[in-house]
Amino acid sequence: MLHKISTDVVTKSPDPVRAYLLLMRLDRPTGYVLYLLPGLWAVALASGRRPDPLTVVVVAVAAVLVRGAACAVNDVVDKDVDIRVARTVSRPVAAGTVTVKNALLFAAAQAVVALLVLAVANVETALVVGASYPLIVAYPYMKRVFFWPSAFLALVMSVYVLIGWTAVSESADYPIAVYGLYAGGAFWTLIHDGIYSHQDKEYDRNIGVKSSALLFGDATKAWLAVFIVLSVGGVLWAGSQTSIGWAFYLIVVLAGIYLSYLVVRVDLDDPKSCWDTFVANTYFGWIILAAVVAGKFT
């Protein structure tokens, strides 16, 4: 449903507007959801039984803007690579429908508006996301200089746990449970980005950029199994540091079983299978969110 709505918005927009919506990947909402969900875990865990709706909306809108800015920066840095990869050759900067200058201005505008939106919750939250901007800008360069760029991405993506918690607590003084959620989100990122990277592994090998697919090769599934244990373990540990109820633990374990099923099922040599499994990872995030909510009532 979300994908259909996003696609309809993009396809029905005028051409000049459509180019910028494509630049921020509005037609591919999976990335937004994967970025947002760990933040919502934190919002739910930090709140009472009913999180403030305004806080949820603020955190969600900011996630779209921050991720949109990140995509624009990424496309500028990767424009010479994107034109050599079938999956990315039509991206606006690579295709020339958006200039480098305009892409950067668009990224800056989204980043600034995200700060203003988060300031509605509290200024501390805006400062936390602002502190993450240098990491977001640095990430596209990691695949050129760092042997495991997914690890850097995991650190960046999981910052949204801190943002979600700060939006509720109005403080950047985090209890230990937050770091459990951060670890859970980071290892989850290693899983879904590791699968995602297998779509382009032959192009990456030929071009000379680095990725999880090339780093782990045939041992990828074994590593993903380790990351599943660590991701689920981080979330369970976070819950154990609070007074959350028994339903939380049961549902988190079920989420881990589901994630294991995805890893067993995926064909890492089939780009479509990798993409479908990447998208299906969103359900793991929703199940964890459901676990936190259910745990508040048991």
Side-chain angles (χ1 to χ4, degrees), residues 21-36 61-74 91 110 114 133 136 157 160 196 275 278:
L21 297 181
L22 291 171
L23 181 62
M24 65 185 296
R25 309 278 202 284
L26 198 64
D27 60 322
R28 299 209 166 193
T30 299
Y32 293 104
V33 176
L34 292 173
Y35 182 54
L36 169 63
V61 170
V64 173
L65 293 168
V66 174
R67 196 252 180 173
C71 289
V73 171
N74 183 84
R91 286 179 176 175
Q110 291 180 90
Y133 284 169
I136 290 172
M157 292 275 283
Y160 224 66
Y196 181 91
W275 172 255
F278 172 72

mmCIF file of all heavy atoms in Angstrom, residues 21-36 61-74 91 110 114 133 136 157 160 196 275 278:
data_model
loop_
_atom_site.group_PDB
_atom_site.id
_atom_site.type_symbol
_atom_site.label_atom_id
_atom_site.label_comp_id
_atom_site.label_asym_id
_atom_site.label_seq_id
_atom_site.Cartn_x
_atom_site.Cartn_y
_atom_site.Cartn_z
ATOM 1 N N LEU A 21 11.499 14.174 -6.793
ATOM 2 C CA LEU A 21 10.898 13.096 -6.001
ATOM 3 C C LEU A 21 11.662 11.788 -6.215
ATOM 4 O O LEU A 21 11.839 11.002 -5.278
ATOM 5 C CB LEU A 21 9.429 12.921 -6.365
ATOM 6 C CG LEU A 21 8.517 14.122 -6.075
ATOM 7 C CD1 LEU A 21 7.081 13.796 -6.458
ATOM 8 C CD2 LEU A 21 8.603 14.531 -4.615
ATOM 9 N N LEU A 22 12.100 11.569 -7.452
ATOM 10 C CA LEU A 22 12.926 10.392 -7.731
ATOM 11 C C LEU A 22 14.287 10.519 -7.059
ATOM 12 O O LEU A 22 14.863 9.531 -6.592
ATOM 13 C CB LEU A 22 13.096 10.207 -9.239
ATOM 14 C CG LEU A 22 11.844 9.792 -10.012
ATOM 15 C CD1 LEU A 22 12.105 9.856 -11.521
ATOM 16 C CD2 LEU A 22 11.414 8.384 -9.617
ATOM 17 N N LEU A 23 14.808 11.738 -7.018
ATOM 18 C CA LEU A 23 16.103 11.973 -6.381
ATOM 19 C C LEU A 23 16.046 11.609 -4.899
ATOM 20 O O LEU A 23 17.012 11.051 -4.351
ATOM 21 C CB LEU A 23 16.516 13.434 -6.557
ATOM 22 C CG LEU A 23 17.865 13.851 -5.967
ATOM 23 C CD1 LEU A 23 19.005 13.078 -6.622
ATOM 24 C CD2 LEU A 23 18.071 15.359 -6.134
ATOM 25 N N MET A 24 14.924 11.888 -4.256
ATOM 26 C CA MET A 24 14.801 11.557 -2.835
ATOM 27 C C MET A 24 14.225 10.150 -2.620
ATOM 28 O O MET A 24 13.914 9.767 -1.495
ATOM 29 C CB MET A 24 13.950 12.602 -2.109
ATOM 30 C CG MET A 24 12.508 12.665 -2.536
ATOM 31 S SD MET A 24 11.589 14.037 -1.738
ATOM 32 C CE MET A 24 11.643 13.552 -0.020
ATOM 33 N N ARG A 25 14.085 9.384 -3.725
ATOM 34 C CA ARG A 25 13.614 7.988 -3.692
ATOM 35 C C ARG A 25 12.208 7.865 -3.107
ATOM 36 O O ARG A 25 11.897 6.878 -2.433
ATOM 37 C CB ARG A 25 14.548 7.099 -2.878
ATOM 38 C CG ARG A 25 15.997 7.166 -3.234
ATOM 39 C CD ARG A 25 16.385 6.310 -4.425
ATOM 40 N NE ARG A 25 17.804 6.049 -4.349
ATOM 41 C CZ ARG A 25 18.750 6.941 -4.664
ATOM 42 N NH1 ARG A 25 18.399 8.136 -5.124
ATOM 43 N NH2 ARG A 25 20.024 6.632 -4.542
ATOM 44 N N LEU A 26 11.359 8.834 -3.376
ATOM 45 C CA LEU A 26 10.001 8.752 -2.846
ATOM 46 C C LEU A 26 9.234 7.587 -3.458
ATOM 47 O O LEU A 26 8.270 7.102 -2.871
ATOM 48 C CB LEU A 26 9.253 10.064 -3.101
ATOM 49 C CG LEU A 26 7.996 10.282 -2.249
ATOM 50 C CD1 LEU A 26 8.369 10.375 -0.776
ATOM 51 C CD2 LEU A 26 7.252 11.531 -2.687
ATOM 52 N N ASP A 27 9.682 7.134 -4.623
ATOM 53 C CA ASP A 27 9.027 5.992 -5.263
ATOM 54 C C ASP A 27 9.470 4.664 -4.655
ATOM 55 O O ASP A 27 8.922 3.617 -4.991
ATOM 56 C CB ASP A 27 9.324 5.991 -6.765
ATOM 57 C CG ASP A 27 10.820 5.888 -7.054
ATOM 58 O OD1 ASP A 27 11.621 6.494 -6.316
ATOM 59 O OD2 ASP A 27 11.187 5.185 -8.022
ATOM 60 N N ARG A 28 10.462 4.699 -3.767
ATOM 61 C CA ARG A 28 10.970 3.477 -3.133
ATOM 62 C C ARG A 28 10.982 3.683 -1.619
ATOM 63 O O ARG A 28 12.027 3.964 -1.022
ATOM 64 C CB ARG A 28 12.357 3.140 -3.642
ATOM 65 C CG ARG A 28 12.375 2.883 -5.150
ATOM 66 C CD ARG A 28 13.458 1.930 -5.551
ATOM 67 N NE ARG A 28 13.263 1.430 -6.907
ATOM 68 C CZ ARG A 28 13.919 0.415 -7.424
ATOM 69 N NH1 ARG A 28 14.821 -0.221 -6.705
ATOM 70 N NH2 ARG A 28 13.686 0.013 -8.659
ATOM 71 N N PRO A 29 9.809 3.544 -0.995
ATOM 72 C CA PRO A 29 9.691 3.895 0.426
ATOM 73 C C PRO A 29 10.358 2.914 1.383
ATOM 74 O O PRO A 29 10.450 3.205 2.577
ATOM 75 C CB PRO A 29 8.173 3.916 0.634
ATOM 76 C CG PRO A 29 7.631 2.969 -0.392
ATOM 77 C CD PRO A 29 8.530 3.141 -1.591
ATOM 78 N N THR A 30 10.826 1.779 0.892
ATOM 79 C CA THR A 30 11.435 0.799 1.794
ATOM 80 C C THR A 30 12.581 1.405 2.593
ATOM 81 O O THR A 30 12.715 1.176 3.799
ATOM 82 C CB THR A 30 11.945 -0.424 0.999
ATOM 83 O OG1 THR A 30 10.842 -1.045 0.344
ATOM 84 C CG2 THR A 30 12.618 -1.426 1.930
ATOM 85 N N GLY A 31 13.408 2.201 1.934
ATOM 86 C CA GLY A 31 14.537 2.819 2.616
ATOM 87 C C GLY A 31 14.105 3.734 3.748
ATOM 88 O O GLY A 31 14.741 3.787 4.815
ATOM 89 N N TYR A 32 13.007 4.471 3.532
ATOM 90 C CA TYR A 32 12.486 5.339 4.581
ATOM 91 C C TYR A 32 12.035 4.525 5.788
ATOM 92 O O TYR A 32 12.299 4.880 6.935
ATOM 93 C CB TYR A 32 11.287 6.141 4.060
ATOM 94 C CG TYR A 32 11.631 7.146 3.002
ATOM 95 C CD1 TYR A 32 11.327 6.900 1.668
ATOM 96 C CD2 TYR A 32 12.247 8.340 3.331
ATOM 97 C CE1 TYR A 32 11.633 7.819 0.685
ATOM 98 C CE2 TYR A 32 12.566 9.269 2.362
ATOM 99 C CZ TYR A 32 12.262 9.011 1.034
ATOM 100 O OH TYR A 32 12.573 9.919 0.068
ATOM 101 N N VAL A 33 11.331 3.436 5.509
ATOM 102 C CA VAL A 33 10.788 2.603 6.581
ATOM 103 C C VAL A 33 11.916 1.967 7.393
ATOM 104 O O VAL A 33 11.872 1.936 8.635
ATOM 105 C CB VAL A 33 9.846 1.528 6.003
ATOM 106 C CG1 VAL A 33 9.356 0.590 7.107
ATOM 107 C CG2 VAL A 33 8.656 2.181 5.303
ATOM 108 N N LEU A 34 12.942 1.472 6.704
ATOM 109 C CA LEU A 34 14.068 0.845 7.397
ATOM 110 C C LEU A 34 14.814 1.855 8.271
ATOM 111 O O LEU A 34 15.354 1.498 9.330
ATOM 112 C CB LEU A 34 15.028 0.233 6.377
ATOM 113 C CG LEU A 34 14.484 -0.975 5.594
ATOM 114 C CD1 LEU A 34 15.464 -1.374 4.497
ATOM 115 C CD2 LEU A 34 14.205 -2.151 6.514
ATOM 116 N N TYR A 35 14.867 3.105 7.829
ATOM 117 C CA TYR A 35 15.524 4.160 8.611
ATOM 118 C C TYR A 35 14.653 4.574 9.795
ATOM 119 O O TYR A 35 15.147 4.785 10.907
ATOM 120 C CB TYR A 35 15.792 5.351 7.695
ATOM 121 C CG TYR A 35 16.520 6.504 8.348
ATOM 122 C CD1 TYR A 35 17.730 6.328 9.013
ATOM 123 C CD2 TYR A 35 16.008 7.809 8.271
ATOM 124 C CE1 TYR A 35 18.406 7.397 9.591
ATOM 125 C CE2 TYR A 35 16.676 8.877 8.835
ATOM 126 C CZ TYR A 35 17.864 8.672 9.499
ATOM 127 O OH TYR A 35 18.527 9.726 10.068
ATOM 128 N N LEU A 36 13.344 4.681 9.549
ATOM 129 C CA LEU A 36 12.424 5.183 10.571
ATOM 130 C C LEU A 36 12.163 4.193 11.696
ATOM 131 O O LEU A 36 12.071 4.588 12.868
ATOM 132 C CB LEU A 36 11.098 5.549 9.894
ATOM 133 C CG LEU A 36 9.899 5.845 10.803
ATOM 134 C CD1 LEU A 36 10.179 7.068 11.682
ATOM 135 C CD2 LEU A 36 8.641 6.049 9.972
ATOM 136 N N VAL A 61 8.139 12.315 9.667
ATOM 137 C CA VAL A 61 8.377 13.313 8.616
ATOM 138 C C VAL A 61 9.869 13.622 8.505
ATOM 139 O O VAL A 61 10.429 13.710 7.402
ATOM 140 C CB VAL A 61 7.578 14.602 8.904
ATOM 141 C CG1 VAL A 61 7.999 15.726 7.950
ATOM 142 C CG2 VAL A 61 6.078 14.334 8.765
ATOM 143 N N ALA A 62 10.529 13.761 9.639
ATOM 144 C CA ALA A 62 11.966 14.051 9.619
ATOM 145 C C ALA A 62 12.745 12.912 8.985
ATOM 146 O O ALA A 62 13.735 13.144 8.278
ATOM 147 C CB ALA A 62 12.467 14.311 11.038
ATOM 148 N N ALA A 63 12.318 11.670 9.214
ATOM 149 C CA ALA A 63 13.006 10.520 8.619
ATOM 150 C C ALA A 63 12.960 10.590 7.097
ATOM 151 O O ALA A 63 13.950 10.291 6.413
ATOM 152 C CB ALA A 63 12.381 9.215 9.106
ATOM 153 N N VAL A 64 11.814 10.978 6.554
ATOM 154 C CA VAL A 64 11.689 11.103 5.101
ATOM 155 C C VAL A 64 12.632 12.179 4.575
ATOM 156 O O VAL A 64 13.321 11.988 3.562
ATOM 157 C CB VAL A 64 10.229 11.442 4.720
ATOM 158 C CG1 VAL A 64 10.119 11.757 3.228
ATOM 159 C CG2 VAL A 64 9.308 10.283 5.076
ATOM 160 N N LEU A 65 12.703 13.297 5.273
ATOM 161 C CA LEU A 65 13.548 14.408 4.827
ATOM 162 C C LEU A 65 15.036 14.077 4.945
ATOM 163 O O LEU A 65 15.817 14.363 4.027
ATOM 164 C CB LEU A 65 13.214 15.655 5.637
ATOM 165 C CG LEU A 65 11.821 16.240 5.402
ATOM 166 C CD1 LEU A 65 11.495 17.284 6.457
ATOM 167 C CD2 LEU A 65 11.732 16.852 3.999
ATOM 168 N N VAL A 66 15.427 13.479 6.063
ATOM 169 C CA VAL A 66 16.848 13.148 6.253
ATOM 170 C C VAL A 66 17.287 12.098 5.240
ATOM 171 O O VAL A 66 18.351 12.219 4.624
ATOM 172 C CB VAL A 66 17.111 12.653 7.689
ATOM 173 C CG1 VAL A 66 18.560 12.174 7.831
ATOM 174 C CG2 VAL A 66 16.836 13.764 8.695
ATOM 175 N N ARG A 67 16.454 11.084 5.048
ATOM 176 C CA ARG A 67 16.808 10.058 4.080
ATOM 177 C C ARG A 67 16.813 10.632 2.665
ATOM 178 O O ARG A 67 17.659 10.274 1.843
ATOM 179 C CB ARG A 67 15.822 8.894 4.192
ATOM 180 C CG ARG A 67 16.322 7.628 3.503
ATOM 181 C CD ARG A 67 15.577 7.333 2.250
ATOM 182 N NE ARG A 67 16.051 6.127 1.579
ATOM 183 C CZ ARG A 67 15.457 5.588 0.526
ATOM 184 N NH1 ARG A 67 14.357 6.137 0.031
ATOM 185 N NH2 ARG A 67 15.956 4.530 -0.057
ATOM 186 N N GLY A 68 15.883 11.534 2.371
ATOM 187 C CA GLY A 68 15.868 12.178 1.061
ATOM 188 C C GLY A 68 17.133 12.981 0.807
ATOM 189 O O GLY A 68 17.699 12.954 -0.290
ATOM 190 N N ALA A 69 17.582 13.690 1.839
ATOM 191 C CA ALA A 69 18.829 14.450 1.711
ATOM 192 C C ALA A 69 20.007 13.509 1.503
ATOM 193 O O ALA A 69 20.900 13.777 0.681
ATOM 194 C CB ALA A 69 19.041 15.299 2.967
ATOM 195 N N ALA A 70 20.027 12.404 2.233
ATOM 196 C CA ALA A 70 21.113 11.427 2.105
ATOM 197 C C ALA A 70 21.158 10.850 0.699
ATOM 198 O O ALA A 70 22.247 10.669 0.118
ATOM 199 C CB ALA A 70 20.943 10.320 3.133
ATOM 200 N N CYS A 71 19.995 10.559 0.128
ATOM 201 C CA CYS A 71 19.949 9.999 -1.224
ATOM 202 C C CYS A 71 20.484 10.992 -2.248
ATOM 203 O O CYS A 71 21.191 10.609 -3.186
ATOM 204 C CB CYS A 71 18.521 9.605 -1.579
ATOM 205 S SG CYS A 71 17.921 8.149 -0.690
ATOM 206 N N ALA A 72 20.146 12.271 -2.079
ATOM 207 C CA ALA A 72 20.624 13.289 -3.008
ATOM 208 C C ALA A 72 22.146 13.408 -2.951
ATOM 209 O O ALA A 72 22.822 13.483 -3.990
ATOM 210 C CB ALA A 72 19.965 14.634 -2.699
ATOM 211 N N VAL A 73 22.696 13.425 -1.741
ATOM 212 C CA VAL A 73 24.151 13.483 -1.586
ATOM 213 C C VAL A 73 24.793 12.244 -2.191
ATOM 214 O O VAL A 73 25.809 12.324 -2.907
ATOM 215 C CB VAL A 73 24.533 13.629 -0.099
ATOM 216 C CG1 VAL A 73 26.046 13.471 0.078
ATOM 217 C CG2 VAL A 73 24.077 14.969 0.441
ATOM 218 N N ASN A 74 24.222 11.090 -1.905
ATOM 219 C CA ASN A 74 24.743 9.831 -2.429
ATOM 220 C C ASN A 74 24.793 9.842 -3.958
ATOM 221 O O ASN A 74 25.774 9.388 -4.568
ATOM 222 C CB ASN A 74 23.870 8.673 -1.945
ATOM 223 C CG ASN A 74 24.380 7.319 -2.384
ATOM 224 O OD1 ASN A 74 25.251 6.727 -1.763
ATOM 225 N ND2 ASN A 74 23.835 6.807 -3.484
ATOM 226 N N ARG A 91 19.013 7.107 -12.413
ATOM 227 C CA ARG A 91 18.895 8.049 -11.299
ATOM 228 C C ARG A 91 19.090 9.485 -11.813
ATOM 229 O O ARG A 91 19.901 9.713 -12.717
ATOM 230 C CB ARG A 91 19.908 7.717 -10.203
ATOM 231 C CG ARG A 91 19.525 6.481 -9.407
ATOM 232 C CD ARG A 91 20.540 6.134 -8.339
ATOM 233 N NE ARG A 91 20.092 4.992 -7.532
ATOM 234 C CZ ARG A 91 20.821 4.416 -6.601
ATOM 235 N NH1 ARG A 91 22.063 4.845 -6.346
ATOM 236 N NH2 ARG A 91 20.331 3.395 -5.900
ATOM 237 N N GLN A 110 16.362 19.924 2.414
ATOM 238 C CA GLN A 110 15.713 18.862 3.186
ATOM 239 C C GLN A 110 16.346 18.722 4.569
ATOM 240 O O GLN A 110 15.639 18.512 5.571
ATOM 241 C CB GLN A 110 15.827 17.532 2.441
ATOM 242 C CG GLN A 110 15.000 17.461 1.177
ATOM 243 C CD GLN A 110 15.155 16.111 0.495
ATOM 244 O OE1 GLN A 110 14.407 15.179 0.765
ATOM 245 N NE2 GLN A 110 16.139 16.019 -0.380
ATOM 246 N N ALA A 114 14.325 19.285 8.030
ATOM 247 C CA ALA A 114 14.272 18.193 9.007
ATOM 248 C C ALA A 114 14.621 18.697 10.404
ATOM 249 O O ALA A 114 13.989 18.303 11.398
ATOM 250 C CB ALA A 114 15.224 17.073 8.600
ATOM 251 N N TYR A 133 24.713 14.461 10.506
ATOM 252 C CA TYR A 133 24.845 14.864 9.108
ATOM 253 C C TYR A 133 26.246 14.613 8.531
ATOM 254 O O TYR A 133 26.369 14.161 7.386
ATOM 255 C CB TYR A 133 24.460 16.335 8.935
ATOM 256 C CG TYR A 133 22.961 16.586 8.973
ATOM 257 C CD1 TYR A 133 22.455 17.886 9.069
ATOM 258 C CD2 TYR A 133 22.043 15.541 8.917
ATOM 259 C CE1 TYR A 133 21.087 18.129 9.097
ATOM 260 C CE2 TYR A 133 20.683 15.772 8.951
ATOM 261 C CZ TYR A 133 20.204 17.066 9.037
ATOM 262 O OH TYR A 133 18.849 17.297 9.063
ATOM 263 N N ILE A 136 26.390 11.086 7.474
ATOM 264 C CA ILE A 136 25.576 10.833 6.281
ATOM 265 C C ILE A 136 26.326 11.258 5.023
ATOM 266 O O ILE A 136 26.314 10.559 4.009
ATOM 267 C CB ILE A 136 24.231 11.585 6.390
ATOM 268 C CG1 ILE A 136 23.371 10.930 7.487
ATOM 269 C CG2 ILE A 136 23.491 11.595 5.062
ATOM 270 C CD1 ILE A 136 22.101 11.687 7.814
ATOM 271 N N MET A 157 22.549 4.602 10.255
ATOM 272 C CA MET A 157 21.113 4.304 10.284
ATOM 273 C C MET A 157 20.588 4.218 11.717
ATOM 274 O O MET A 157 19.479 4.685 12.016
ATOM 275 C CB MET A 157 20.847 2.982 9.565
ATOM 276 C CG MET A 157 21.088 2.994 8.075
ATOM 277 S SD MET A 157 19.699 3.595 7.107
ATOM 278 C CE MET A 157 18.599 2.174 7.136
ATOM 279 N N TYR A 160 18.968 6.875 14.366
ATOM 280 C CA TYR A 160 17.570 7.241 14.521
ATOM 281 C C TYR A 160 16.968 6.677 15.809
ATOM 282 O O TYR A 160 15.942 7.168 16.275
ATOM 283 C CB TYR A 160 16.751 6.830 13.293
ATOM 284 C CG TYR A 160 15.810 7.943 12.892
ATOM 285 C CD1 TYR A 160 16.317 9.155 12.414
ATOM 286 C CD2 TYR A 160 14.440 7.824 13.034
ATOM 287 C CE1 TYR A 160 15.477 10.202 12.095
ATOM 288 C CE2 TYR A 160 13.592 8.870 12.721
ATOM 289 C CZ TYR A 160 14.117 10.061 12.247
ATOM 290 O OH TYR A 160 13.277 11.108 11.954
ATOM 291 N N TYR A 196 20.965 -6.568 0.203
ATOM 292 C CA TYR A 196 20.803 -5.565 -0.853
ATOM 293 C C TYR A 196 22.046 -5.482 -1.745
ATOM 294 O O TYR A 196 21.949 -5.367 -2.963
ATOM 295 C CB TYR A 196 20.534 -4.210 -0.190
ATOM 296 C CG TYR A 196 20.306 -3.053 -1.125
ATOM 297 C CD1 TYR A 196 19.012 -2.722 -1.542
ATOM 298 C CD2 TYR A 196 21.357 -2.247 -1.559
ATOM 299 C CE1 TYR A 196 18.786 -1.636 -2.377
ATOM 300 C CE2 TYR A 196 21.139 -1.173 -2.396
ATOM 301 C CZ TYR A 196 19.855 -0.870 -2.800
ATOM 302 O OH TYR A 196 19.638 0.199 -3.629
ATOM 303 N N TRP A 275 16.208 -8.165 -3.835
ATOM 304 C CA TRP A 275 15.371 -6.972 -3.653
ATOM 305 C C TRP A 275 14.119 -7.314 -2.853
ATOM 306 O O TRP A 275 13.748 -6.591 -1.916
ATOM 307 C CB TRP A 275 14.990 -6.367 -4.998
ATOM 308 C CG TRP A 275 13.978 -5.262 -4.842
ATOM 309 C CD1 TRP A 275 12.654 -5.305 -5.114
ATOM 310 C CD2 TRP A 275 14.241 -3.948 -4.318
ATOM 311 N NE1 TRP A 275 12.055 -4.113 -4.800
ATOM 312 C CE2 TRP A 275 12.991 -3.262 -4.310
ATOM 313 C CE3 TRP A 275 15.380 -3.297 -3.850
ATOM 314 C CZ2 TRP A 275 12.876 -1.935 -3.857
ATOM 315 C CZ3 TRP A 275 15.252 -1.979 -3.396
ATOM 316 C CH2 TRP A 275 14.023 -1.312 -3.408
ATOM 317 N N PHE A 278 15.012 -7.753 0.728
ATOM 318 C CA PHE A 278 15.326 -6.439 1.300
ATOM 319 C C PHE A 278 14.032 -5.744 1.718
ATOM 320 O O PHE A 278 13.917 -5.228 2.835
ATOM 321 C CB PHE A 278 16.085 -5.615 0.260
ATOM 322 C CG PHE A 278 16.311 -4.182 0.648
ATOM 323 C CD1 PHE A 278 17.222 -3.842 1.633
ATOM 324 C CD2 PHE A 278 15.620 -3.151 0.003
ATOM 325 C CE1 PHE A 278 17.442 -2.515 1.981
ATOM 326 C CE2 PHE A 278 15.834 -1.830 0.339
ATOM 327 C CZ PHE A 278 16.742 -1.507 1.328
#
